[in-house]
Amino acid sequence: QVQLVESGGGLVQPGGSLRLSCAASGIHFSIYTMSWYRQAPGKQRELVAAITSGGSTNYADSVKGRFIISRDNAKNTVWLQMNSLKPEDTAVYYCNAHLAGTGWNYWGQGTQVTVSS
């Protein structure tokens, strides 16, 4: 059974930082592209950041220079370090595991991030 379990969300003031974690089980973690998506109320889910099995990363323009995605294949974990948070970063953040060229695509349950004073 595949599980992606996110943690680390919460309430933070503008300018603050949070670190999200996603622990994976039931998959060969090291070969998957791992991503973070977010969905704000009334908006579509959007890609925030992704890291391939080889360690290449890409980011949404809105978070470049503020967020960092990283992974540890030995721990089956991916992180999203979020700095200089803005109110517009408020959303439910979801962890995703995807294996290109296959139908293998898995989601976590999401963790709420609220940026507010």
Side-chain angles (χ1 to χ4, degrees):
Q1 182 182 0
V2 178
Q3 282 193 310
L4 301 178
V5 180
E6 300 104 332
S7 60
L11 173 64
V12 63
Q13 292 187 340
S17 297
L18 281 176
R19 190 189 196 204
L20 305 183
S21 299
C22 172
S25 60
I27 60 172
H28 189 172
F29 181 82
S30 65
I31 67 174
Y32 278 75
T33 291
M34 299 300 298
S35 304
W36 288 96
Y37 286 74
R38 67 186 181 188
Q39 188 167 18
K43 294 188 176 181
Q44 289 189 331
R45 191 172 296 190
E46 63 174 355
L47 176 67
V48 175
I51 184 166
T52 68
S53 58
S56 297
T57 59
N58 68 281
Y59 297 91
D61 287 343
S62 59
V63 307
K64 281 181 181 177
R66 299 189 297 123
F67 291 10
I68 300 172
I69 188 170
S70 60
R71 67 190 295 163
D72 185 333
N73 292 334
K75 296 181 178 180
N76 285 6
T77 301
V78 61
W79 296 275
L80 185 68
Q81 178 67 44
M82 305 186 295
N83 301 319
S84 302
L85 282 161
K86 305 175 181 180
E88 51 263 44
D89 295 317
T90 296
V92 178
Y93 284 70
Y94 296 91
C95 179
N96 173 268
H98 173 68
L99 188 59
T102 74
W104 295 346
N105 190 59
Y106 305 103
W107 293 94
Q109 81 287 351
T111 185
Q112 176 71 46
V113 172
T114 302
V115 184
S116 175
S117 55

